[in-house]
Amino acid sequence: MYNYRKVTDDLYWVGGDDHRLSLFENIHPIYHGVSYNAYLLMDEKTVLVDTADWSIGRQFLDNVEGVLGDRSLDFLLINHVEPDHAASIPEILLRWPNVKIITTEKAAMILRQFGFNIRPEQVDEVTEGDSRCFGKHTIAFVKAPMVHWPEAMVSFDTTNGVLFSADAFGSFRALDGKLFADEVEFDKEWLDDARRYYTNIVGKYGPQVLQVLKKASTLPIKYICPLHGPVWRKDIPYILDKYMHWASYEPEEKGIMIVYASMYGNTEAAAEVLARKLCEKGITKTRLYDVSSTHMSYLISDLFRYSHLVLASVTYNLGIFPPMHNFLMDLKALNLQKRTCAIVENGSWAPNSGNLMKAELEEMKHMDILDDEVNITSSYRENNESDMDALVDALVASFNKK
């Protein structure tokens, strides 16, 4: 049974929702599911834009057949070949063996690496500046390498202003019957999932995203059709502004994240004291996280959101507590930068986590590390009060800077 929706008069969403998958890319929790989006243009020629993960293959194929009716499929336009969007390509080729594939040279190469049986004469390889006309509609192609795979491109329908944006502007969360961002309370319900999607999936490639945003700024975009999440037809400057912040690593807002690593609760208690003292000074935009029990994707997402980071860690085997060390490695891998940071160290003997955490932060770009530091031996006591107060004052001063 088909379950598609119209985007414009002759463009249809033919994707589907997956509520069964628990880990996106087998790493990121998705408690509210995810959508796999594909689009079908019904012009003089029919054009399917990308496919879908095989987990929703049956629904996707029903939708395509439901929109096509008695027409055949003429073209398959592939912007991105990651398996969650390309897995249904073999079934498309079986059902419509004469379909012509439009994609990049590198995309065709990767599809063959995945074992897809694509004949050379079946592929129309395009590059930036190329366009194809399908009747009323002309679609132009723009390279988007490393957003977030090297073969990725985006496609722009110059007739009706539709940008097929591949993984850019995507989001975790199933659509559940809705399609457009203006059909949901995006800022309240979806923004956290969109940020967590971008920061963990695409976040490393900020410079490449900025290049695509620069190109996009020259286009008269009326719709953004991503491969996950809702379609944008209103308030497009809103989501473009979010992407500019995330891609340039500028914080969305002022806020202090306190991420602690505690074995028996003593470092946690110190982190709670810090949070309380900040609130007493009027800094209430604080978030406290146990690095051992909070999935890394949420930590990464909120750090792209907030301006300040405090790392509080026990010393473990003369090093950084492993979950905290993993967090720092993820920050470095995702190229996070432009944050103000502070250190709280704990250790019963030979405390060393503070110096090691500071060394990791110093290897990252444009990180302002406060000189004030709190060093705890085993548990937070009265003799730590003056150092904690000094750290709080330094954080408040930094926070209140224009």
Side-chain angles (χ1 to χ4, degrees):
M1 178 64 187
Y2 64 76
N3 191 20
Y4 56 77
R5 282 197 63 179
K6 270 192 173 186
V7 180
T8 66
D9 286 343
D10 50 8
L11 179 66
Y12 296 80
W13 174 86
V14 290
D17 287 335
D18 187 349
H19 284 285
R20 296 186 178 187
L21 187 68
S22 59
L23 293 175
F24 188 83
E25 294 187 341
N26 209 25
I27 186 171
H28 307 296
I30 46 172
Y31 301 115
H32 303 290
V34 68
S35 72
Y36 300 106
N37 300 342
Y39 306 91
L40 183 54
L41 178 65
M42 299 293 285
D43 203 344
E44 293 175 19
K45 299 293 184 179
T46 58
V47 186
L48 177 62
V49 182
D50 291 295
T51 69
D53 190 85
W54 191 244
S55 64
I56 62 146
R58 181 176 180 180
Q59 183 65 70
F60 161 70
L61 292 164
D62 283 350
N63 291 345
V64 172
E65 291 183 335
V67 174
L68 284 174
D70 58 2
R71 296 185 65 180
S72 184
L73 181 63
D74 298 309
F75 292 94
L76 170 59
L77 196 168
I78 302 172
N79 288 302
H80 182 33
V81 300
E82 197 169 2
D84 58 332
H85 307 297
S88 297
I89 290 174
E91 187 66 25
I92 293 292
L93 299 180
L94 284 172
R95 297 188 183 208
W96 294 280
N98 295 321
V99 69
K100 190 77 170 181
I101 295 173
I102 301 174
T103 195
T104 64
E105 179 183 9
K106 186 162 288 187
M109 179 194 74
I110 295 175
L111 286 172
R112 293 187 181 101
Q113 288 177 181
F114 276 117
F116 292 177
N117 185 23
I118 298 173
R119 304 186 308 276
E121 66 273 14
Q122 207 170 7
V123 180
D124 177 11
E125 293 181 358
V126 294
T127 189
E128 180 144 354
D130 290 345
S131 63
R132 297 291 183 270
C133 181
F134 305 102
K136 292 189 302 180
H137 294 263
T138 296
I139 295 181
F141 308 106
V142 179
K143 284 185 177 180
M146 300 318 301
V147 186
H148 61 123
W149 275 30
E151 92 305 346
M153 69 174 180
V154 298
S155 304
F156 182 66
D157 189 331
T158 61
T159 304
N160 58 9
V162 173
L163 179 68
F164 299 103
S165 62
D167 268 345
F169 306 105
S171 177
F172 296 136
R173 189 177 282 259
L175 291 168
D176 296 339
K178 298 171 279 288
L179 177 60
F180 299 102
D182 54 275
E183 294 179 325
V184 303
E185 292 188 86
F186 192 88
D187 205 56
K188 293 180 180 179
E189 297 178 355
W190 280 77
L191 179 57
D192 286 346
D193 280 311
R195 184 192 302 107
R196 191 163 64 92
Y197 174 85
Y198 171 85
T199 56
N200 287 277
I201 307 300
V202 191
K204 178 180 177 65
Y205 304 107
Q208 290 86 348
V209 174
L210 287 174
Q211 285 296 317
V212 173
L213 290 173
K214 184 178 179 181
K215 295 174 185 178
S217 68
T218 67
L219 302 174
I221 298 171
K222 296 180 180 178
Y223 297 83
I224 297 177
C225 292
L227 289 177
H228 300 287
V231 170
W232 290 84
R233 62 181 176 181
K234 297 179 181 178
D235 301 321
I236 289 176
Y238 166 90
I239 193 63
L240 290 175
D241 177 70
K242 294 298 182 185
Y243 260 66
M244 285 297 297
H245 276 86
W246 300 337
S248 61
Y249 305 101
E250 295 289 347
E252 284 178 67
E253 58 186 285
K254 286 187 175 182
I256 299 178
M257 278 183 64
I258 304 169
V259 181
Y260 66 85
S262 189
M263 292 175 65
Y264 300 108
N266 293 298
T267 308
E268 178 183 8
E272 293 279 5
V273 170
L274 173 59
R276 185 252 303 167
K277 287 179 176 287
L278 285 168
C279 289
E280 289 174 344
K281 292 282 188 175
I283 307 299
T284 56
K285 184 60 73 79
T286 57
R287 299 294 298 271
L288 200 66
Y289 291 103
D290 182 346
V291 73
S292 297
S293 60
T294 308
H295 192 272
M296 205 66 66
S297 65
Y298 291 94
L299 299 177
I300 295 295
S301 177
D302 264 6
L303 192 48
F304 268 76
R305 177 181 180 182
Y306 294 124
S307 56
H308 288 63
L309 170 67
V310 180
L311 299 175
S313 179
V314 64
T315 300
Y316 190 85
N317 285 337
L318 302 181
I320 305 170
F321 192 62
M324 180 66 80
H325 184 264
N326 292 341
F327 175 50
L328 284 162
M329 293 304 100
D330 266 14
L331 295 187
K332 293 171 72 174
L334 291 169
N335 204 26
L336 197 281
Q337 52 192 272
K338 301 180 183 178
R339 296 299 184 272
T340 299
C341 305
I343 300 292
V344 176
E345 172 190 74
N346 192 3
S348 294
W349 71 93
N352 198 33
S353 60
N355 289 333
L356 294 173
M357 289 189 293
K358 186 176 181 180
E360 297 292 351
L361 292 171
E362 287 173 342
E363 291 182 5
M364 300 166 66
K365 297 176 182 177
H366 311 300
M367 301 295 261
D368 180 15
I369 306 171
L370 300 179
D371 292 330
D372 295 276
E373 187 174 312
V374 178
N375 304 102
I376 302 165
T377 52
S378 298
S379 65
Y380 186 86
R381 299 186 303 280
E382 287 184 5
N383 64 306
N384 299 120
E385 281 284 289
S386 60
D387 286 344
M388 185 66 82
D389 288 338
L391 176 58
V392 168
D393 289 341
L395 284 167
V396 170
S398 170
F399 191 91
N400 289 331
K401 280 182 182 179
K402 289 186 179 179

